Amino acid sequence: MTTPALRDQYGQKWPFPPIEGPDQPAHDKTWLIFIPGAYTPVCMSELEQVSELSHRLAELQVGVRLIAPDSAPVLRLVCEQLGLNVPFLSDFWPHGAAAKHYGILDETTGRPRRVSLLVNRSGEVIEALTSTGGEREMGEHIAILQNKK
């Protein structure tokens, strides 16, 4: 399996698993929120909720990383348009390697499924939040953490 080579919206390289990166400390728990396509109506609607979610997660000392198969320049444009201040990582090349690593790459579309993974410092999955229909409710990320206490 190819090791994922992730870059953030500024083109900076991130190690895998993407728990700690440029100017981003590691946390004991981090949500990896996979976005099927950054510039699509459903995904944009989800992303509009991320700023509030990231503030609430910071209070709980939990990290958040967005991951999409789009290129870093597209992710930067989305961040600027929505005013996002969270790491948005490009799983562009090798295409979908991070999603494939976690078994959530839809091989027919070449995009990750709409899944959020709560991982520990080693990148091991602690909990998964999957949306089979449409948009995820970002508040569910907090609810899962509160139930794990």
Side-chain angles (χ1 to χ4, degrees):
M1 180 178 292
T2 304
T3 302
L6 301 174
R7 291 187 181 271
D8 65 19
Q9 67 265 38
Y10 304 108
Q12 300 175 101
K13 290 182 182 180
W14 275 63
F16 192 83
I19 308 307
E20 184 173 17
D23 302 321
Q24 294 292 320
H27 297 280
D28 289 337
K29 296 177 185 171
T30 299
W31 277 109
L32 304 180
I33 301 175
F34 285 85
I35 306 292
Y39 232 144
T40 64
V42 173
C43 294
M44 288 291 280
S45 180
E46 285 184 332
L47 291 169
E48 288 173 352
Q49 302 173 50
V50 169
S51 287
E52 180 183 335
L53 175 65
S54 68
H55 294 301
R56 293 179 65 196
L57 290 174
E59 292 170 1
L60 298 170
Q61 297 185 356
V62 175
V64 62
R65 311 291 183 247
L66 302 169
I67 303 173
D70 304 283
S71 67
V74 169
L75 301 182
R76 186 171 186 170
L77 180 66
V78 170
C79 286
E80 288 172 358
Q81 184 174 339
L82 296 176
L84 291 176
N85 261 345
V86 298
F88 205 162
L89 306 174
S90 174
D91 193 14
F92 188 70
W93 196 258
H95 184 77
K100 192 172 202 165
H101 173 84
Y102 284 111
I104 61 170
L105 181 67
D106 182 334
E107 297 284 349
T108 60
T109 65
R111 300 191 170 282
R113 291 181 183 86
R114 195 172 305 281
V115 174
S116 297
L117 302 173
L118 183 62
V119 297
N120 63 18
R121 282 182 180 259
S122 303
E124 297 166 5
V125 178
I126 302 168
E127 190 73 48
L129 175 60
T130 304
S131 173
T132 54
E135 175 178 331
R136 280 171 284 213
E137 172 53 51
M138 291 298 171
E140 291 180 50
H141 296 83
I142 303 294
I144 286 173
L145 290 168
Q146 290 170 337
N147 289 336
K148 293 201 90 45
K149 286 184 178 179

